[in-house]
């Protein structure tokens, strides 16, 4: 089939690559988000999908919105049999949904109807789900409400960050997307309506959502930090500085790695205890041991190195 591909970030790259490698499909054009300014040098950066498309000599358009009139004109010229969408980052307008012969097929990284929305992987980890997955479904007017063609499942591991899980789902999901398009081309694959029960929503994660609340229980803090790693990055504050915090490890109150003073009297929420090799922070339950920490303008470093360089002492309060 003639495929138009809409996608933007790194997580969409395996899907576009799988379609480029497929003998059954031809990618006739790519839609991605406009080049963005990034980094300290404020350089204009092409999206990962734009880079891959350029490497393969594909025609690429970068509209600010797909509702722009030029998009419809280009789509008619491309004459796609089907549209494939993976983490594009924008809506496909209703008047374009029927333009490809077989409509638009979206690869969504959850088992629908669970976690409809922009951040399904982050939401699944934050909620403590044990299993998630990916779904292919036909786009319609509603947000992630269309009928489902195929599903795969993936176990969420105890130490998974959203980056870890997105990487695995991106690879597995690419195969699911190609298989779905193969089935549509063959004519035997019929989508099933999503069940009415089990609907949940995963809105876009904002920076403020990733601020660590040390008064929460340790296991919740652990989940939230992993959910927001690497993006947008969990953070706390020390005086006026915003400090990024990598995944932590909950520690029982009687753990022998804790300083004697902490085992004798539990840390209050946000209060730290420092040893030569570790930094512990009090929570709403048991302490957590910090992993990596990234002060402003510096690279991530082991928490003990950060504490030593910042001359932190027992009793310092974060947050």
């Amino acid at each position: 089939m003639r495929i138009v591909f809409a996608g933007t970030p790194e997580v969409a790259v395996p899907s576009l690559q799988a379609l480029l490698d497929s003998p059954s499909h031809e990618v006739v054009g790519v839609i991605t988000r406009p080049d963005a300014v990034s980094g300290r040098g404020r350089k204009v950066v092409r999206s990962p999908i734009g880079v891959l498309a350029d490497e393969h000599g594909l025609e690429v358009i970068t509209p600010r919105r797909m509702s722009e009139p030029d998009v419809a004109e280009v789509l008619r010229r491309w004459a796609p049999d089907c549209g494939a969408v993976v983490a594009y980052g924008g809506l496909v307008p209703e008047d374009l949904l029927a333009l490809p012969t077989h409509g638009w097929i979206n690869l969504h990284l959850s088992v629908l109807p669970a976690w409809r929305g922009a951040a399904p992987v982050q939401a699944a980890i934050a909620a403590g789900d044990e299993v998630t997955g990916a779904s292919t479904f036909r786009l319609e007017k509603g947000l992630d409400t269309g009928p489902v063609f195929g599903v795969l499942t993936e176990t969420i591991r105890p130490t998974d960050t959203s980056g870890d899980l997105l990487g695995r789902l991106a690879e597995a999901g690419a195969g699911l997307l190609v298989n779905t398009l193969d089935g549509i081309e063959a004519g035997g694959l019929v989508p099933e309506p999503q069940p009415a029960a089990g609907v949940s929503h995963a809105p876009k994660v904002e920076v403020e959502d990733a601020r660590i609340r040390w008064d929460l229980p340790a296991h919740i803090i652990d989940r939230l930090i992993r959910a927001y790693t690497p993006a947008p990055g969990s953070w706390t504050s020390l005086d006026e500085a915003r400090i990024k915090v990598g995944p932590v490890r909950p520690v029982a109150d009687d753990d022998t790695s804790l300083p004697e003073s902490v085992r004798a009297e539990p840390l209050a929420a946000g209060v730290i205890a420092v040893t030569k090799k570790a930094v512990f922070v009090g929570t709403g339950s048991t302490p957590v041991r910090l992993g990596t920490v990234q002060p402003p303008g510096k690279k991530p470093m082991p928490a003990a190195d950060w504490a030593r360089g910042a001359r932190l002492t027992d009793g310092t309060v974060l947050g």
Side-chain angles (χ1 to χ4, degrees), residues 124-125 127-133 153-158 160 165 168:
I125 293 175
D129 292 355
E130 295 182 355
V131 176
T132 186
T153 59
E154 175 70 28
T155 299
I156 300 178
R157 301 169 188 172
D160 269 341
L165 188 52
R168 298 202 304 275

Side-chain angles (χ1 to χ4, degrees), residues 15-281:
S15 289
L16 177 55
Q17 187 62 63
L19 288 171
L20 291 169
D21 294 340
S22 171
S24 303
H25 308 293
E26 176 191 3
V27 179
V28 295
V30 169
I31 306 173
T32 191
R33 301 292 291 167
D35 298 355
V37 175
S38 180
R40 292 185 184 178
R42 310 303 291 166
K43 294 181 179 179
V44 177
V45 178
R46 189 78 150 161
S47 76
I49 284 298
V51 170
L52 180 60
D54 292 343
E55 290 173 352
H56 287 266
L58 299 173
E59 184 177 354
V60 180
I61 59 172
T62 58
R64 293 192 177 279
R65 293 180 179 84
M66 285 186 68
S67 56
E68 294 175 8
D70 289 351
V71 176
E73 294 178 11
V74 173
L75 283 172
R76 291 189 183 94
R77 175 166 57 80
W78 284 342
D81 297 311
C82 194
V85 184
V86 184
Y88 168 61
L91 296 176
V92 178
E94 189 175 0
D95 62 328
L96 298 185
L97 290 177
L99 202 154
T101 305
H102 296 287
W104 296 80
I105 310 305
N106 194 109
L107 172 66
H108 185 76
L109 301 184
S110 79
V111 179
L112 291 169
W115 304 126
R116 294 172 177 170
V121 170
Q122 292 90 332
I125 293 175
D129 292 355
E130 295 182 355
V131 176
T132 186
S135 308
T136 48
F137 71 97
R138 176 171 284 135
L139 282 185
E140 58 180 29
K141 185 178 180 181
L143 178 63
D144 301 336
T145 59
V148 174
F149 287 95
V151 169
L152 61 82
T153 59
E154 175 70 28
T155 299
I156 300 178
R157 301 169 188 172
T159 59
D160 269 341
T161 65
S162 60
D164 298 331
L165 188 52
L166 278 167
R168 298 202 304 275
L169 288 173
E171 293 293 338
L176 175 63
L177 178 62
V178 172
N179 289 339
T180 297
L181 295 174
D182 288 346
I184 291 171
E185 183 179 39
L189 187 60
V190 179
E192 296 288 336
Q194 294 184 33
V199 175
S200 52
H201 297 277
K204 181 181 177 182
V205 178
E206 304 293 346
V207 172
E208 184 59 28
D209 298 327
R211 179 176 62 87
I212 301 168
R213 284 185 48 194
W214 297 110
D215 60 324
L216 294 174
H219 72 284
I220 300 295
I221 292 173
D222 166 45
R223 288 181 197 165
L224 291 172
I225 291 176
R226 288 188 292 108
Y228 304 144
T229 300
S234 287
W235 60 276
T236 190
S237 56
L238 177 61
D239 298 325
E240 298 299 319
R242 181 178 293 185
I243 311 294
K244 281 195 172 183
V245 177
V248 299
R249 180 170 66 84
V251 181
D253 280 323
D254 59 355
D255 192 304
T256 56
S257 67
L258 285 169
E260 184 74 31
S261 60
V262 175
R263 281 182 279 153
E265 184 177 351
L267 290 170
V271 175
I272 71 169
V274 182
T275 69
K276 288 183 178 181
K277 296 183 178 180
V279 178
F280 302 92
V281 186

